[in-house]
Amino acid sequence: MSEKDIVLITAKAADDKRAEEITVLDMRGVSLVADYFIICHGNSEKQVQAIAREVKDKALENDIGIKRLEGFDEARWVLCDLGDVIVHIFHRDERIYYNLERLWGDAPRVNIQERLV
């Protein structure tokens, strides 16, 4: 399975749980950590957990290995490490505070909005 397939599967999973402002950053050539970051947020701890659970479930259904899932219990910033794709699921307030899009501002954005409908 390609990295772009993983991006689409996990972004759709987040969208299914009403994640807001789903952003995909192409990290290739920018960072050695991962090839893609998916960044989104929920408006409550319950919603953040629901998004993270759905991302995890869809990854497992599609035989995508999960290296790490951190922050689930606190539900302020959940990191789901899928290898070359890392999904950052924030609580709205934490997303504003950490502003990863600005931090990684030199990473090109990948437009996936038309594929989520």
Side-chain angles (χ1 to χ4, degrees), residues 13 17 41-57 69-78 89-91:
K17 293 300 177 181
H41 73 267
N43 293 313
S44 69
E45 286 85 1
K46 295 275 188 206
Q47 186 183 17
V48 169
Q49 288 176 332
I51 296 165
R53 195 175 294 112
E54 186 71 8
V55 167
K56 176 185 167 194
D57 291 348
L69 183 69
E70 298 179 7
F72 183 84
D73 292 335
E74 297 83 14
R76 302 301 292 177
W77 178 357
V78 178
I89 307 160
F90 286 97
H91 186 284

Side-chain angles (χ1 to χ4, degrees), residues 53-71:
R53 195 175 294 112
E54 186 71 8
V55 167
K56 176 185 167 194
D57 291 348
K58 290 298 179 186
L60 293 174
E61 282 176 23
N62 288 280
D63 294 321
I64 301 166
I66 300 171
K67 294 185 176 207
R68 252 184 357 237
L69 183 69
E70 298 179 7

